[in-house]
Amino acid sequence: MDFVTGEILYIDKPLEWTSFDVVKRLRGVLLHRLHRKKFKVGHAGTLDPLATGVMVVVTGRATKLIESLQAGVKEYIATVKLGATTPSFDLETEIDATYPTAHITREAILDVLPRFTGRIEQIPPAFSACKVDGKRAYNMARKGHEVELKPKVLVIDEIELLDFNPEDMVMTLRIVCSKGTYIRALARDLGEALGSGGHLIGLRRTRVGDVGISSCLSVEEAVEMIRNAEITFPDDDQQAASVE
């Protein structure tokens, strides 16, 4: 494999790992394997620590492709709890308010979902990597500061209700959407549209572009693949070294 010219690796990100954790782990193995002190490894599209699923990792000169790789359509399976909200719109923070849910039915959910398909505006979560005056919003939010973010335009191609349990007010959705969509914010907005509150309790990215979960490696599978791969170097690489 030619990691210097660039390889694209599809990883099933584990729960509670940050996207940076995945990049750091694979970069460390590549540095050792390539006998280098520095080497470019990046990812196309951040996944929150509490999310799992398809993550695109890019090496070497192929990091120049990150922007185009990020533009691919993404598919998620999202689990949303209705009747309560959290400041982060997911399980990172504690519940801050509860709301009545007796009026919510499967039919009511099906009625509101079409409002969120097509080209829509969405206000990102305060607990996000968006920048406000040069500072990350999540750093400000975690310190208790008020964060005002402007709406962003995005496209949601499909929202499908896969399951709804009226006893615990949990619904499962399949969502196909564009780059920049915050599923946590969608959970918030759906809760509001249903006259209640809502927050995300589970998220799995099942596809990026044409690549699905079945094509992904676990982190440790990727580590073993790098350790055992036959390494090649481009002809113009001045730092090419012998590899074991």
Side-chain angles (χ1 to χ4, degrees), residues 38-95:
K38 293 182 179 180
F39 189 66
K40 286 185 177 181
V41 181
H43 66 85
T46 301
L47 269 177
D48 291 336
L50 296 179
T52 65
V54 183
M55 181 177 161
V56 184
V57 177
V58 190
T59 76
R61 298 170 189 170
T63 53
K64 296 177 181 179
L65 301 175
I66 284 177
E67 187 172 346
S68 61
L69 290 170
Q70 284 178 330
V73 170
K74 298 170 179 65
E75 179 185 72
Y76 296 89
I77 302 298
T79 307
V80 179
K81 172 77 171 179
L82 298 169
T85 57
T86 71
S88 59
F89 311 149
D90 64 5
L91 295 176
E92 180 182 343
T93 54
E94 298 293 326
I95 290 173

Side-chain angles (χ1 to χ4, degrees), residues 110 113 158-163 172-176:
L110 292 173
L113 290 183
E158 299 177 52
I159 301 183
E160 178 186 1
L161 180 63
L162 299 179
D163 187 48
T172 304
L173 304 168
R174 184 182 70 88
I175 301 156
V176 180

Side-chain angles (χ1 to χ4, degrees), residues 82-83 100-109 164 166 169 171 191 194-197:
L82 298 169
T101 58
H103 63 286
I104 298 177
T105 62
R106 183 182 184 88
E107 290 69 28
I109 295 170
F164 173 59
M169 280 291 143
M171 62 180 176
L194 287 164
S196 183

Side-chain angles (χ1 to χ4, degrees), residues 10 54 75 205-217:
Y10 295 96
V54 183
E75 179 185 72
R205 184 191 283 165
T206 50
R207 181 167 59 88
V208 174
D210 295 326
V211 177
I213 283 288
S214 62
S215 301
C216 292
L217 299 172

Side-chain angles (χ1 to χ4, degrees), residues 17-36:
W17 282 49
T18 66
S19 297
F20 178 74
D21 288 337
V22 176
V23 169
K24 182 180 178 182
R25 177 77 173 110
L26 299 185
R27 183 191 289 119
V29 181
L30 282 163
L31 288 172
H32 178 75
R33 190 74 209 278
L34 300 175
H35 305 298
R36 303 192 178 201

Side-chain angles (χ1 to χ4, degrees), residues 46-240:
T46 301
L47 269 177
D48 291 336
L50 296 179
T52 65
V54 183
M55 181 177 161
V56 184
V57 177
V58 190
T59 76
R61 298 170 189 170
T63 53
K64 296 177 181 179
L65 301 175
I66 284 177
E67 187 172 346
S68 61
L69 290 170
Q70 284 178 330
V73 170
K74 298 170 179 65
E75 179 185 72
Y76 296 89
I77 302 298
T79 307
V80 179
K81 172 77 171 179
L82 298 169
T85 57
T86 71
S88 59
F89 311 149
D90 64 5
L91 295 176
E92 180 182 343
T93 54
E94 298 293 326
I95 290 173
D96 60 358
T98 58
Y99 302 85
T101 58
H103 63 286
I104 298 177
T105 62
R106 183 182 184 88
E107 290 69 28
I109 295 170
L110 292 173
D111 282 343
V112 303
L113 290 183
R115 302 184 203 173
F116 296 92
T117 57
R119 189 178 178 88
I120 66 170
E121 287 192 344
Q122 183 186 78
I123 300 175
F127 287 76
S128 69
C130 295
K131 287 189 175 181
V132 180
D133 297 328
K135 299 178 181 178
R136 294 292 184 187
Y138 59 73
N139 286 330
M140 299 172 65
R142 286 169 183 159
K143 292 176 181 177
H145 300 311
E146 288 290 330
V147 179
E148 291 189 12
L149 295 171
K150 296 180 180 179
K152 292 187 176 182
V153 176
L154 51 91
V155 177
I156 297 182
D157 296 305
E158 299 177 52
I159 301 183
E160 178 186 1
L161 180 63
L162 299 179
D163 187 48
F164 173 59
N165 186 333
E167 292 185 5
D168 57 14
M169 280 291 143
V170 170
M171 62 180 176
T172 304
L173 304 168
R174 184 182 70 88
I175 301 156
V176 180
C177 57
S178 68
K179 165 189 173 183
T181 304
Y182 282 94
I183 307 300
R184 289 180 287 142
L186 181 61
R188 168 204 63 196
D189 295 341
L190 284 168
E192 290 179 356
L194 287 164
S196 183
H199 63 283
L200 193 66
I201 62 172
L203 183 64
R204 185 156 176 76
R205 184 191 283 165
T206 50
R207 181 167 59 88
V208 174
D210 295 326
V211 177
I213 283 288
S214 62
S215 301
C216 292
L217 299 172
S218 69
V219 173
E220 290 311 309
E221 285 173 339
V223 166
E224 287 304 307
M225 182 269 293
I226 294 169
R227 285 174 175 165
N228 297 315
E230 182 177 342
I231 304 294
T232 61
F233 292 90
D235 294 337
D236 62 347
D237 182 39
Q238 300 302 311
Q239 298 185 63

